[in-house]
Amino acid sequence: IRSPFSLLSERKSKMVRIGTICRTSKDYERETVNEIQKFHKNLNRNLHPMQNEVEYQRALNAIKMEKIFAKPFLASLEGHSDGVYSMAKSPVSMSNFLSGSFNGEVILWDLGKKEVQLNIHAHENYVKGLTFSKTGKVFVSCGDDQTIKIWRTPKEKHRTDLGAQAVTNNYSDVEPLNTYLSSSLLNGIDHSRLEPIFLTSGTHVQVWNYERSSPILSFDWTTDPAIKAVFNPADPNLFASTANDRSIAVYDLRTQT
């Protein structure tokens, strides 16, 4: 005969223990709107094996965002419908700024007002280069369609209407003063700071003036195309070019060779 104590102990050994979770709203809800949201986290390191890596990445992203939205970042100019490929700054005006995009669009910006002052469809493909003249009254553009175009910089009293056309996503009704056709590929353009001539880089390094439809001088240093060519700001007779073969060539207009 089994004793009642043995039967009771046997029943206790077969019983299943059930743990319950009891929470109150005060533990995870805010009492006021201004109070910080309460967040419960299990601090067991076995449950978060990548905790250090995640915290490091969060800190790195926070630093990057802080640098983006901090000075010297001042503003973002929005107006292009495609990626920007080239840009130029006026030598006489602190507010005039040019930018050219991959779809042939050229925009004249007013940096002071951060507004579009002129929007033109200058070329059929890439705008490879932009440059202002020495007076800032005209600017020159070259594109992937092997054309070079001269545009007049609009005066202040005419910019309001032209800018209004640009805001409505329509190109400003402006025609180029002159158009030149290059027989070779164009990669960039630069204007002399003292003389009414400009320089193009590409398959050949060529020097142009406003009065002739063909280049007045042409230079070839290597078989590779010239990536960029710029004038010397102090001496208008000197300019330099760079090419894909890691060469830097310096030219003198007085030699004419």
Side-chain angles (χ1 to χ4, degrees), residues 187 201-202 205 221-222 224-230 239-251:
N187 287 332
S201 58
V205 179
W221 178 256
T222 63
D224 292 340
I227 301 175
K228 190 174 182 60
V230 294
F239 64 90
S241 66
T242 59
N244 289 327
D245 58 355
R246 298 175 294 178
S247 64
I248 301 176
V250 180
Y251 303 88

Side-chain angles (χ1 to χ4, degrees), residues 166-187:
V167 170
T168 58
N169 296 327
N170 295 323
Y171 293 117
S172 303
D173 189 13
V174 177
E175 296 294 333
L177 299 177
N178 206 344
T179 301
Y180 309 102
L181 181 61
S182 176
S183 60
S184 59
L185 177 68
L186 299 174
N187 287 332

